[in-house]
Amino acid sequence: MESPEKPTPAESPCHAVVGKLLYKRIGAHPITVLAETDWWRKYLGKHESLFNIAEPVKCDERSRKVRQEGNEFYRRQRYREALGRYNEGICYAEVGSPELGLGYGNRSAVYWELGEYELALANIALARGNCYPEGLEGKLRERERNCRDKLDGGRSLGAVPCPRMGIKIPFMAAQIRMEIFPELGRGFCAERDFRPGDVLLDEKSMMAVIDSGLRYFNCSWCSNANFHSLIPCLECVSYMYCCEECRDRDRETCHRFECGIGGKLREFAFSNTMFGPRMFFYGLSLFKDDVWQMMEFCKTNARTAGNPLSIDFANDDRVQEFKEFVKAAPVGRTRNLFVFRFCAAMYDVLFGKHPLVKSLIRTKSQKRFMMNSFLEFSELAINLAYSSDPDGGLVVNMFCSLASVLNHSCDPNAVIVLDAGRVKIVVLRPIRPGEQICITNGRTFWTAESVEMDEEFDFACRCVVCNPETHAEWRAQGQELPPKAVQHWRVLERVMQAEANDAAKPNALQQYVQRYAYLHPNPEWAVALKVYHGTLRMMVKRENEALARAVALAVADN
């Protein structure tokens, strides 16, 4: 029998209703943490009236109010808050209303102030295409002319992706294979040498879930922030997208089940547990709403160790990609499992009243399958997904089929970057044939002194650094820094402190890491590794920003 688990305060939901139903109940009856999903469903069935909150709808009056709040933030030069209010106003604007065009026009003013001239031009184009008042057209023309003058004068912050990290790369580097490791499960191994800076993987997320507080700042489908230049769902007020492709894909799969109850989900959902219902409805859509067929596949194939390398990504085989997700098996334990069980039951309450869900999920076995899938898919996705914290505690969660195979090590040989709705994996230090490719989920041997070694993971770390049976041998492999390496490090320091171009610094770091990799894991050499790790992450983010500007300029020009 599992032991009662103490709730983690940081993971407690902020909504009073959920707090009352979950944490107050557990506080009064601690044994409740052992309750199964069925018990929580019966318990919540007695309190369904608490979830009956009014669903917000598009309203020009509301749109105007929050847009004016945005204007106040704009005057105070609090531009991020202004963008959030303008985006909320854009969501609330009624179809065909000038409020929509005004929201885009206001947004263009923010980008002008930030020096993001490509984004300003793109939003000017959006304003003109969405009923911007003719009487204010002069403002747009002047701003457009000023932006063009700045760009013609070479004042762009960068609209050409860095050639060293170019986007025209293979989806996944050749000669990488998947293996099954006894304690780790699936993992990728190299079949050839890889050098620092080599791009191993560039993958768009299959599914993303964002915190409710980011709904007006990040794409609801892929999580891309896109400088917060987003477009709204055409029917509800709680979902925004970085492009029409993401909006259409979400509408075809998940969002058709969310639209109409988005306000309730916004109030009650824990961001990461929403993987459960979104994955379920995504899969149901790919199975063409055939619940029985999906049930049979999941019953037969769940957790049989899927292999994402078998997916035909060239032809965008989403059905096979979802099937490989279902086959994947989680590694380690799920923290606060009672929260996932509670949420699965709560989502069953919320989605169970949606007209489309009611029309498709009719029998008892289908209803049980849906609720159980909410739990199993959320557990699985959280175990395999990656999270980033772009805004002070508000989390973006991304699941990528190939990246989900990678394992953690406190001695990583690759860097993972979650940004712009994508995962990019770049080689950190030389990787030899037969060596497992590992990234870090946060802790590294070069930060061990500043990180508590009992820092909680969702798993017991057994990497070469943490495993008592391998740690001494791993540490003994390090060699002393020779005088030449010390001299080169002093030269490298001067390069890093100089006003060098963006390519010179990572080039110098890459050469140093490559040349003295034989010293690994020497702590002095690891200083360069730490700096290179941060530099690679910065380069990927800058590349994505440059690409976003290039796309925005193309939108404006067209």
Side-chain angles (χ1 to χ4, degrees):
M1 184 176 182
E2 55 183 318
S3 302
E5 188 173 8
K6 184 179 179 181
T8 304
E11 296 175 350
S12 303
C14 59
H15 195 280
V17 171
V18 177
K20 175 182 178 180
L21 293 177
L22 177 59
Y23 285 95
K24 287 188 178 180
R25 171 74 190 187
I26 290 175
H29 306 280
I31 196 66
T32 308
V33 297
L34 303 180
E36 297 291 339
T37 310
D38 286 340
W39 186 91
W40 282 113
R41 181 62 182 87
K42 292 176 183 178
Y43 170 72
L44 292 177
K46 302 174 184 178
H47 303 279
E48 286 192 23
S49 60
L50 295 176
F51 296 101
N52 293 331
I53 64 173
E55 188 67 28
V57 296
K58 291 188 181 293
C59 171
D60 278 351
E61 182 178 353
R62 171 68 176 171
S63 174
R64 190 175 304 110
K65 178 182 177 181
V66 295
R67 187 171 57 79
Q68 289 170 352
E69 292 173 0
N71 289 341
E72 180 59 31
F73 282 121
Y74 174 82
R75 282 190 286 270
R76 293 159 62 185
Q77 298 184 355
R78 293 171 59 178
Y79 295 127
R80 188 182 185 281
E81 291 97 326
L83 286 171
R85 290 297 193 278
Y86 291 150
N87 282 346
E88 184 177 356
I90 287 169
C91 281
Y92 273 94
E94 299 172 25
V95 176
S97 165
E99 284 298 318
L100 189 57
L102 286 168
Y104 289 128
N106 288 150
R107 227 165 54 179
S108 72
V110 173
Y111 293 125
W112 162 259
E113 295 294 341
L114 293 174
E116 297 290 352
Y117 306 120
E118 297 89 349
L119 275 296
L121 290 171
N123 277 270
I124 289 170
L126 285 169
R128 285 180 175 145
N130 287 278
C131 307
Y132 190 81
E134 292 184 7
L136 299 176
E137 175 64 25
K139 285 186 176 181
L140 288 187
R141 282 199 300 269
E142 181 181 3
R143 190 173 300 138
E144 180 182 34
R145 183 172 58 252
N146 291 338
C147 287
R148 294 288 183 185
D149 288 343
K150 291 289 187 182
L151 292 177
D152 291 342
R155 300 295 296 276
S156 171
L157 296 179
V160 179
C162 175
R164 293 188 71 257
M165 303 288 290
I167 60 170
K168 293 182 179 180
I169 59 174
F171 180 74
M172 185 172 184
Q175 295 183 278
I176 294 175
R177 69 177 186 272
M178 192 184 86
E179 288 189 10
I180 303 297
F181 297 88
E183 293 186 354
L184 301 174
R186 305 180 304 174
F188 280 141
C189 282
E191 293 185 329
R192 64 179 175 90
D193 288 312
F194 288 100
R195 296 171 59 87
D198 287 347
V199 178
L200 300 178
L201 177 65
D202 182 8
E203 183 180 15
K204 188 176 178 66
S205 62
M206 169 186 163
M207 175 70 65
V209 173
I210 61 175
D211 268 342
S212 175
L214 295 174
R215 64 188 179 277
Y216 298 129
F217 295 96
N218 291 70
C219 177
S220 292
W221 174 253
C222 75
S223 80
N224 184 9
N226 196 41
F227 292 100
H228 313 311
S229 182
L230 308 170
I231 58 176
C233 170
L234 299 176
E235 298 179 39
C236 73
V237 302
S238 300
Y239 293 77
M240 300 196 81
Y241 303 94
C242 63
C243 61
E244 291 184 4
E245 179 185 354
C246 281
R247 182 168 66 183
D248 292 344
R249 181 163 285 195
D250 199 17
R251 183 64 188 178
E252 292 168 2
T253 54
C254 305
H255 190 54
R256 62 194 182 108
F257 296 95
E258 298 166 332
C259 210
I261 62 170
K264 295 180 179 64
L265 295 174
R266 183 175 71 187
E267 291 295 325
F268 299 117
F270 298 39
S271 68
N272 55 6
T273 63
M274 270 298 292
F275 265 123
R278 282 185 68 81
M279 278 293 190
F280 174 79
F281 293 122
Y282 180 70
L284 184 59
S285 299
L286 297 178
F287 275 91
K288 302 185 185 302
D289 294 344
D290 190 329
V291 185
W292 294 115
Q293 185 182 10
M294 182 178 172
M295 285 176 64
E296 182 61 29
F297 176 83
C298 292
K299 178 181 178 181
T300 307
N301 296 277
R303 305 194 177 189
T304 56
N307 182 4
L309 292 179
S310 66
I311 301 169
D312 185 1
F313 288 103
N315 292 312
D316 193 23
D317 191 345
R318 288 184 279 165
V319 175
Q320 185 61 32
E321 186 176 19
F322 175 76
K323 289 181 176 180
E324 295 303 323
F325 164 77
V326 173
K327 293 178 184 178
V331 178
R333 65 188 179 91
T334 301
R335 284 173 53 198
N336 288 349
L337 181 58
F338 66 92
V339 175
F340 288 85
R341 291 169 176 165
F342 172 87
C343 287
M346 179 179 67
Y347 295 141
D348 189 70
V349 172
L350 297 175
F351 283 100
K353 297 181 178 180
H354 193 288
L356 182 55
V357 175
K358 291 171 68 175
S359 70
L360 296 174
I361 311 295
R362 297 187 295 271
T363 69
K364 286 185 178 180
S365 60
Q366 289 176 338
K367 292 176 181 178
R368 174 173 289 275
F369 170 62
M370 181 177 75
M371 186 171 69
N372 288 343
S373 295
F374 288 170
L375 174 61
E376 292 175 9
F377 290 171
S378 62
E379 282 189 83
L380 182 57
I382 287 302
N383 188 273
L384 300 176
Y386 295 98
S387 300
S388 64
D389 182 4
D391 184 46
L394 298 177
V395 178
V396 168
N397 305 278
M398 294 170 55
F399 173 80
C400 300
S401 295
L402 290 167
S404 70
V405 176
L406 291 162
N407 287 314
H408 160 84
S409 173
C410 296
D411 181 18
N413 52 23
V415 179
I416 182 170
V417 186
L418 282 67
D419 188 60
R422 305 187 72 87
V423 165
K424 182 166 281 190
I425 309 296
V426 187
V427 176
L428 175 63
R429 57 178 176 81
I431 301 176
R432 298 181 298 275
E435 187 176 352
Q436 184 179 182
I437 299 169
C438 293
I439 49 89
T440 174
N441 290 336
R443 188 171 66 195
T444 60
F445 77 90
W446 61 75
T447 58
E449 293 181 359
S450 60
V451 177
E452 293 293 332
M453 292 309 291
D454 62 351
E455 175 188 9
E456 283 195 44
F457 279 137
D458 289 342
F459 55 90
C461 185
R462 298 286 292 174
C463 73
V464 292
V465 181
C466 298
N467 188 339
E469 298 178 2
T470 59
H471 178 83
E473 181 181 354
W474 168 81
R475 177 61 73 185
Q477 293 175 357
Q479 300 183 36
E480 291 187 8
L481 211 65
K484 183 180 291 186
V486 175
Q487 295 172 6
H488 287 171
W489 175 252
R490 290 170 181 164
V491 173
L492 180 59
E493 284 184 318
R494 289 197 293 270
V495 172
M496 298 301 293
Q497 294 169 3
E499 294 294 329
N501 60 53
D502 287 342
K505 295 178 181 179
N507 272 335
L509 279 166
Q510 176 180 311
Q511 291 171 11
Y512 188 89
V513 169
Q514 175 74 35
R515 177 175 297 178
Y516 299 107
Y518 69 90
L519 301 174
H520 172 262
N522 178 286
E524 296 171 289
W525 170 82
V527 173
L529 199 66
K530 176 182 178 181
V531 176
Y532 188 47
H533 185 277
T535 301
L536 287 173
R537 292 175 59 84
M538 178 189 66
M539 288 178 63
V540 173
K541 291 179 180 294
R542 286 184 177 177
E543 172 201 348
N544 290 333
E545 290 176 352
L547 179 59
R549 295 186 188 102
V551 171
L553 187 58
V555 169
D557 289 341
N558 290 331

